[in-house]
């Protein structure tokens, strides 16, 4: 899922820019030392494979944004030989001191973070119950659209394709519907046709006697 999101062009370009900045810093020992002085630590470096790692790296460089901009505006930087060395230096300095890269990176991290948290929950040893997991994904999609209204659907489409194929089963939907915590706290869940259809199908698969299945469904809906 994250791998597919990482292939979206604007996401890919932003990760490549972050790679370019960190590669330049880490390829020069003096600049690396200066960065550590201003940032108080390391910047996680984006890789070329797992997008989960790249997401964490983007978040890391965002945390160091102020320190990096201070570094490139410092007298130490301007007095050094690196501030006059080559076109790559001027391009990196321009990327760090101007807004477009940071704005794009901020939007991407804010949009992807809700999904990342859900996937972390799935991978954790304490696996959330099916109903809670479905609720987490519903909430994550809402947060993604709120974080990036202009491009959120490009993420949502990927999520729905992957999620529905792997986790969006009728059993998950039924578990979500039957969770009393959501029944009493989310408006409209009791009459959601998608959830009701999933619940009906699950009940009729478990109870082959039509009369008993109908009675069970009636009792559940009346909760």
């Amino acid at each position: 899922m994250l791998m597919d999101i990482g292939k979206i062009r604007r996401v890919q370009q932003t990760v490549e820019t972050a790679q370019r900045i960190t590669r330049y810093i880490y390829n020069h020992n003096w600049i690396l030392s200066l960065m550590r002085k201003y940032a108080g630590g390391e910047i996680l470096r984006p890789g070329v494979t797992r997008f989960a790692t790249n997401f964490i790296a983007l978040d890391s460089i965002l945390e160091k944004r102020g320190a990096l901009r201070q570094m490139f505006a410092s007298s130490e930087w301007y007095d050094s030989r690196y501030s006059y060395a080559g076109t790559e230096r001027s391009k990196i300095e321009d990327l760090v001191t101007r807004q477009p890269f940071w704005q794009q990176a901020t939007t991407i991290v804010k949009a992807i973070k809700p999904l990342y948290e859900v996937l972390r929950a799935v991978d954790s040893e304490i696996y959330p119950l099916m109903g809670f997991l479905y609720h987490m994904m519903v909430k994550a999609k809402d947060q993604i659209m709120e974080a990036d209204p202009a491009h959120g659907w490009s993420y949502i489409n990927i999520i729905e394709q992957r999620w529905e194929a792997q986790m969006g089963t009728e059993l998950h939907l039924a578990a979500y519907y039957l969770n009393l915590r959501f029944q009493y706290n989310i408006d409209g869940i009791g009459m959601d046709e998608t959830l009701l259809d999933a619940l009906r199908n699950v009940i009729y698969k478990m109870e082959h006697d039509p009369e008993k299945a109908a009675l069970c469904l009636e009792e559940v809906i009346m909760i």
Side-chain angles (χ1 to χ4, degrees):
M1 199 178 294
L2 287 175
M3 184 182 297
D4 290 341
I5 289 174
K7 294 176 183 177
I8 296 174
R9 187 58 189 153
R10 66 181 175 281
V11 176
Q12 190 176 41
Q13 288 175 334
T14 304
V15 170
E16 288 172 353
T17 299
Q19 289 173 335
R20 187 176 172 187
I21 293 170
T22 54
R23 184 166 53 245
Y24 177 78
I25 292 172
Y26 277 82
N27 281 347
H28 299 85
N29 289 333
W30 185 86
I31 300 174
L32 177 58
S33 177
L34 188 65
M35 183 277 293
R36 286 169 174 163
K37 173 184 175 181
Y38 277 86
E42 303 294 330
I43 299 174
L44 295 179
R45 303 169 69 181
V48 294
T49 53
R50 291 176 59 86
F51 184 74
T53 304
N54 289 340
F55 165 75
I56 297 170
L58 273 182
D59 198 25
S60 174
I61 199 171
L62 279 172
E63 290 179 357
K64 302 294 192 297
R65 170 175 49 184
L68 289 174
R69 297 178 77 172
Q70 286 180 358
M71 182 187 83
F72 281 107
S74 70
S75 58
E76 292 167 285
W77 171 255
Y78 280 110
D79 290 342
S80 74
R81 64 185 178 88
Y82 292 100
S83 65
Y84 302 99
T87 58
E88 181 65 5
R89 183 277 313 166
S90 61
K91 290 178 180 178
I92 295 299
E93 184 179 339
D94 187 61
L95 286 172
V96 171
T97 55
R98 294 184 181 274
Q99 287 295 330
F101 164 70
W102 299 112
Q103 290 174 342
Q104 186 79 298
T106 298
T107 301
I108 289 171
V109 167
K110 283 184 177 180
I112 295 176
K113 190 170 186 177
L115 172 62
Y116 177 73
E117 294 296 335
V118 174
L119 296 179
R120 280 188 62 192
V122 172
D123 288 338
S124 69
E125 294 182 2
I126 305 175
Y127 193 90
L129 297 174
M130 286 188 293
F132 283 98
L133 189 58
Y134 182 82
H135 175 69
M136 288 171 66
M137 185 56 80
V138 170
K139 187 176 179 180
K141 289 192 284 188
D142 290 340
Q143 291 172 334
I144 288 169
M145 289 304 301
E146 183 179 347
D148 190 358
H151 305 106
W153 279 111
S154 61
Y155 305 130
I156 300 297
N157 288 337
I158 291 172
I159 291 171
E160 290 183 345
Q161 290 171 11
R162 290 283 188 171
W163 183 262
E164 294 302 325
Q166 298 176 23
M167 302 295 291
T169 63
E170 291 179 334
L171 197 58
H172 281 81
L173 297 175
Y176 176 58
Y177 181 91
L178 292 172
N179 191 307
L180 295 181
R181 177 177 176 179
F182 303 138
Q183 280 275 357
Y184 290 113
N185 289 288
I186 300 178
D187 292 337
I189 188 174
M191 300 306 294
D192 187 301
E193 286 299 326
T194 300
L195 299 178
L196 285 171
D197 285 343
L199 180 63
R200 289 189 191 98
N201 291 336
V202 169
I203 289 176
Y204 278 98
K205 285 178 182 177
M206 296 177 66
E207 177 53 72
H208 299 293
D209 185 320
E211 291 186 5
K212 291 182 179 179
L215 180 61
C216 180
L217 182 62
E218 183 179 347
E219 290 180 354
V220 169
I221 294 176
M222 290 177 63
I223 292 176

